[in-house]
Amino acid sequence: MNLKKEKYLCCIFGGIIGIVSFIAIYGIKILNPTYDEWIFNQNGDMVQHQIGWMFFRNSDWSFPLGIIDGLSETETVTCVVTDCLPLFAIFFKLFSPLLPETFQYFGIWALICYIMQGVLSAAILRKLTSNTLFSLVGTIFFTTFSAVIERFYHHDTLMAHWLILLAVFSFVYQNRKWKYRITPIIIWLVNGMLAVMIHSYFLPMIYMVMLGYIIVDVFENKKYLRPVTTFLSTTVCSVATMYVIGGFADSGSMSGGGLGIFSANLNAFFNSFGDSKFLKPLNITGQQKEGYGYLGLGVILLCIIAIMLILYHTENKNGKLTENIKGFIKAHKIKITAISVIIISSMYFAVFPRVTLNGRVLYTINYPDKIHDLLSIFRASGRFIWVTDYFIILIALFILSRLRKSAPKTIMSVLLFCIGVQLLDFSEYIKQTRNKFTTDMTYSLSSEFKSFNSITDSKKEFIFIPPRNSLMPPHKDLYEFAYYSSENDMQMSTFYLARNDNERLSKYISNQLELLEKNEINENAVYVFYDKTMISDKLDNIETYDFERYTLLTAK
């Protein structure tokens, strides 16, 4: 078979493996774009994403393109801070008049992520191993990677691990002779733009891999213009894309609290958080599941076997293990340095500033305020460990493939054994996930909303007055009010966003209470009080409606 055709077929079959993996894990029910009950039954951040899409779809077009109307009186809301996947939100809004009234694209999005995961991992492995069968079998490690599965429970946009793989693809194919010299630069800048339109956390990960790419270009290939052009064009296009979709339109701070709390534990590669059939969960500190990087028992065994085999092979080459290792490092020192820099940068930002092992804090760095605020833009830093995860898997598979020539059947048997262990390790987790997403679900608002129509008749807005010493009602309530508002053409005074402007929110609440104290009530609003004692005694000509968790107040 033609070598070029074989490489393309490898990628196609990699995509098919991605499709099969998706169906095996999630089924096909969630692919129905009119079936959104599975989202609202999760009662987590995915609900925030769908609500964001619903309001964005009903908003007038404006610039920046991602502006959302009706979700907050205190700040500018965009697709970026609702995590409603700007790439898809803007695209599908173009066709909104043609779409059914109920429409969700997150099921389709997940399928695309698995296809891309399969295609790119197959392409990378084909380059590293020069063997199609080996590459396709190895692809299964990537399409069943637990960190991707886990993200669909919470942050669906963070399933786009294929953005990391696209960066690795550029790194692995760095010395390929492209038809057009500008092609590798375009791949990098498109990757950066996609990261911005999907989830900005992938952007630093792309730059981590790019750093290794630049090292190889400068010190091994002796190229200087391409790395500079790559970095600048990617940065300019990413910033421009962020501006166009509204990433800089939000009034709230880009920094968030919790740097170090959402880091990765040093046990991350072995901590299954209960998702393993064999390995028990390990202790952590804070909310370190954001640093979920469990490799899987199959990959752990693969790494151990690969190390043992390479040591055995190297020692038996001429009986001088140390000299052979030194010779290998010397011959490939630039690439080894580049990969080391990628892994070190990934690990550093994932585990610092609070280095932890199990339940112990080993070391804490106190950054200067400006550096702390800058790093806090990506406060859930534990996610950066995914870069190291993928390099560990790729290095182990690369080592195994290099030994395949001396014992092809044995090496393939080892690979299949490790794949089997990996699938068995995740079997209960996959079964649990499949049962969750293939079960028929229905969704309805809480019982109190049945009486809302008479209360909200002719009203245009919900104004929330949360409990004392709080700035926001419970998320579950906000989700339900937002759902009701979207269905009944009403607005919200506030909503749960990726970054809320707490200062403005506090001023808004104080201002509303002052107006009510003056008996100045908004006749078009329904006030939602979570503490009835905060309702001013000076108010007259009002109606109040008591519910279990809150009291509604309107003008008569």
Side-chain angles (χ1 to χ4, degrees), residues 286-300:
Q287 300 182 46
Q288 290 188 314
K289 196 168 185 182
E290 286 297 335
Y292 182 98
Y294 179 54
L295 290 168
L297 186 58
V299 172
I300 294 171

Side-chain angles (χ1 to χ4, degrees), residues 168-401:
V168 177
F169 172 90
S170 295
F171 178 73
V172 169
Y173 281 85
Q174 184 164 2
N175 294 326
R176 173 177 172 172
K177 293 183 179 180
W178 297 92
K179 184 177 180 180
Y180 302 102
R181 293 173 61 186
I182 199 173
T183 299
I185 298 174
I186 291 175
I187 293 174
W188 278 111
L189 69 86
V190 168
N191 199 8
M193 293 168 67
L194 286 171
V196 168
M197 291 189 288
I198 293 170
H199 203 297
S200 58
Y201 265 84
F202 286 111
L203 199 57
M205 302 185 210
I206 291 169
Y207 277 106
M208 289 173 190
V209 182
M210 185 189 290
L211 181 57
Y213 178 91
I214 291 172
I215 290 172
V216 173
D217 245 9
V218 172
F219 295 100
E220 184 172 281
N221 298 333
K222 305 301 179 183
K223 294 180 179 179
Y224 306 102
L225 181 60
R226 186 171 76 170
V228 171
T229 306
T230 297
F231 175 79
L232 291 178
S233 61
T234 301
T235 302
V236 169
C237 290
S238 298
V239 171
T241 302
M242 179 67 84
Y243 173 74
V244 169
I245 65 174
F248 302 119
D250 310 308
S251 57
S253 171
M254 295 181 71
S255 299
L259 181 66
I261 296 174
F262 303 101
S263 62
N265 199 291
L266 289 176
N267 66 23
F269 302 122
F270 314 102
N271 190 357
S272 69
F273 285 89
D275 298 334
S276 169
K277 187 180 180 70
F278 304 108
L279 301 183
K280 295 181 179 179
L282 303 174
N283 292 330
I284 58 170
T285 68
Q287 300 182 46
Q288 290 188 314
K289 196 168 185 182
E290 286 297 335
Y292 182 98
Y294 179 54
L295 290 168
L297 186 58
V299 172
I300 294 171
L301 287 176
L302 178 71
C303 292
I304 294 172
I305 293 170
I307 292 171
M308 291 173 61
L309 287 175
I310 197 68
L311 291 176
Y312 174 80
H313 178 79
T314 305
E315 185 174 19
N316 281 276
K317 192 173 182 180
N318 56 21
K320 299 179 180 179
L321 174 62
T322 305
E323 289 185 13
N324 289 333
I325 292 176
K326 286 182 178 178
F328 178 83
I329 293 174
K330 186 176 181 180
H332 303 88
K333 62 181 180 180
I334 302 300
K335 284 190 173 65
I336 291 173
T337 299
I339 293 171
S340 299
V341 168
I342 294 170
I343 292 174
I344 290 170
S345 61
S346 164
M347 287 297 297
Y348 178 85
F349 288 108
V351 303
F352 281 88
R354 199 170 62 121
V355 184
T356 59
L357 177 62
N358 296 326
R360 295 175 56 200
V361 178
L362 303 180
Y363 185 74
T364 301
I365 293 180
N366 294 314
Y367 292 122
D369 290 343
K370 289 185 178 180
I371 294 177
H372 185 276
D373 291 343
L374 179 64
L375 294 176
S376 292
I377 294 173
F378 302 100
R379 62 176 182 172
S381 57
R383 298 167 182 172
F384 297 143
I385 203 168
W386 299 334
V387 176
T388 300
D389 276 322
Y390 284 116
F391 271 91
I392 289 173
I393 299 171
L394 287 170
I395 291 170
L397 289 170
F398 173 74
I399 292 172
L400 210 62
S401 71

Side-chain angles (χ1 to χ4, degrees), residues 88 99 111 133 183 207 247 318 323 374 386 413 457 481 499:
F88 273 32
L99 299 177
L111 175 60
L133 180 59
T183 299
Y207 277 106
N318 56 21
E323 289 185 13
L374 179 64
W386 299 334
S413 297
D457 184 38
F481 274 101
R499 295 287 188 273

Side-chain angles (χ1 to χ4, degrees), residues 14-19 21-22 26 31 85 87-88 105-121 139 142-145 148-149 151-152 155-166 198-199 202 390:
I16 292 172
I17 290 172
I19 294 172
S21 299
F22 172 86
Y26 304 103
L31 294 176
L85 187 55
L87 179 67
F88 273 32
Y105 45 68
F106 294 105
I108 299 169
W109 161 248
L111 175 60
I112 290 174
C113 285
Y114 272 80
I115 293 172
M116 294 300 295
Q117 191 86 348
V119 169
L120 288 167
S121 58
T139 295
F142 296 86
T143 59
T144 58
F145 186 41
V148 178
I149 301 173
R151 279 296 143 184
F152 203 46
H155 306 103
D156 48 277
T157 48
L158 286 170
M159 293 180 72
H161 284 216
W162 55 269
L163 292 170
I164 304 172
L165 293 178
L166 183 56
I198 293 170
H199 203 297
F202 286 111
Y390 284 116

Side-chain angles (χ1 to χ4, degrees), residues 480-493:
E480 290 200 302
F481 274 101
Y483 183 96
Y484 180 88
S485 297
S486 177
E487 296 291 312
N488 292 273
D489 196 26
M490 293 184 66
Q491 297 183 356
M492 303 270 288
S493 69

